Amino acid sequence: MPREGTGPDFIEALARGLEVITAFRPRQPVMSLTDVATATGLARPTARRILLTLAELGYVRQQSGGFALTPRVLDLGVAYVRSTGLWEVARPHLERLVERTGESCSIAQLDGSDIVYVARVSVPKIVTLAVQIGTRFPALPTSLGKVLLAALPPDEAARILAEPSRSGLRPVWRPERAEWEAELREVRARGWALTDEQLARGIRSVAAPLRDGSGRVVASVNVNAHAAETSVDVLLDDYLPLLLQTAGEISVDFARLESAPHTTRPADAVATP
């Protein structure tokens, strides 16, 4: 996150507060004041004031050993998902897809060179990587990310992939440009993407695009399987047709939601008989 803004309306204090929140990483749920100051590059007194402010607002709590985020931080991400209406539209479709495949299904969107999970219905299986709402992975070695990148103009995809991942994960598949360009061309041509243990060993999945009413790809949806339990043939022959049907149904419902008229009643309106 940039410390200094590019315009007169940039609020540095807000940027610093968000930077402190994002300093908390997986496997480091509790951070000392020194840890936070070091991770953000802030002076200790500044980091302390921000942490105490966040604690007063309920986003951080003090405990033995330092500070930890509270579940209230999830409200920030949930607000985004709810604002798009995507979760309300997708949930029943995802639940039916999970029932029919017995596999976990997710929806993701691009954030720089990463994907971020914005909706998920999971089944209790032991997998290599834990996934939940807000989890981010490098986009290119995931089926969800391939679909999203393939929907972009090639130059824009190249610009995005030049950005460093913020996931902290080193994927198995790290292709040269010519290889990933060929992969995205294939995904673009056939309309869906497969990944077979390219992100991490033991994980394979297939994904399809979700579109708005104008046909623009706004997200992607996948079926995720354990490589030891589900073959590529099963993924493509049995699950892919169900996934494509589900993606089409979600897209239709999302387009319908966007086109529906929205009215707001004034707060001071008085009902009349």
Side-chain angles (χ1 to χ4, degrees):
M1 180 179 297
R3 183 61 54 80
E4 297 181 359
T6 56
D9 296 323
F10 184 82
I11 302 175
E12 185 177 357
L14 176 59
R16 288 177 169 179
L18 293 173
E19 196 170 357
V20 166
I21 289 176
T22 57
F24 290 82
R25 299 295 185 185
R27 297 177 296 279
Q28 194 177 9
V30 180
M31 298 180 69
S32 68
L33 174 58
T34 300
D35 292 335
V36 173
T38 300
T40 58
L42 296 170
R44 279 172 55 90
T46 302
R48 178 178 179 275
R49 289 196 301 272
I50 292 173
L51 285 166
L52 293 179
T53 300
L54 291 171
E56 188 169 340
L57 293 173
Y59 294 105
V60 167
R61 66 172 178 270
Q62 289 182 269
Q63 62 183 65
S64 177
F67 298 85
L69 298 179
T70 72
R72 188 170 186 180
V73 172
L74 293 173
D75 291 345
L76 301 175
V78 170
Y80 165 72
V81 175
R82 287 176 176 167
S83 71
T84 66
L86 191 55
W87 171 237
E88 286 80 2
V89 167
R91 180 178 60 183
H93 297 288
L94 287 185
E95 290 174 344
R96 283 195 294 271
L97 185 58
V98 169
E99 288 177 3
R100 298 173 74 181
T101 63
E103 307 285 2
S104 298
C105 300
S106 306
I107 293 176
Q109 294 180 304
L110 273 180
D111 182 21
S113 62
D114 295 332
I115 57 163
V116 177
Y117 286 78
V118 298
R120 179 169 172 83
V121 177
S122 60
V123 295
K125 291 189 177 184
I126 298 176
V127 293
T128 309
L129 299 173
V131 177
Q132 57 190 352
I133 303 301
T135 295
R136 65 172 57 238
F137 291 137
L140 190 56
T142 68
S143 61
L144 291 162
K146 289 178 184 179
V147 166
L148 296 170
L149 291 167
L152 300 175
D155 288 346
E156 185 176 352
R159 178 185 60 78
I160 287 174
L161 289 174
E163 300 178 16
S165 170
R166 293 163 51 203
S167 68
L169 178 70
R170 184 175 175 81
V172 173
W173 188 53
R174 298 183 295 277
E176 298 294 332
R177 178 164 178 165
E179 186 179 356
W180 64 251
E181 283 182 335
E183 177 77 5
L184 294 186
R185 282 195 300 270
E186 186 175 353
V187 171
R188 196 175 297 117
R190 68 191 181 193
W192 53 269
L194 170 73
T195 185
D196 186 11
E197 301 187 273
Q198 292 177 322
L199 178 66
R201 298 300 181 193
I203 296 177
R204 58 173 53 123
S205 66
V206 64
L210 298 178
R211 303 178 185 273
D212 63 13
S214 68
R216 182 175 63 94
V217 174
V218 294
S220 54
V221 57
N222 82 343
V223 174
N224 185 81
H226 197 293
E229 298 178 356
T230 305
S231 68
V232 171
D233 287 343
V234 169
L235 203 60
L236 298 183
D237 296 341
D238 298 344
Y239 297 166
L240 178 58
L242 299 175
L243 173 67
L244 294 174
Q245 178 185 349
T246 299
E249 292 170 348
I250 294 174
S251 296
V252 168
D253 283 356
F254 189 57
R256 185 180 296 116
L257 175 68
E258 285 187 311
S259 64
H262 298 278
T263 58
T264 22
R265 183 179 179 181
D268 56 352
V270 178
T272 56

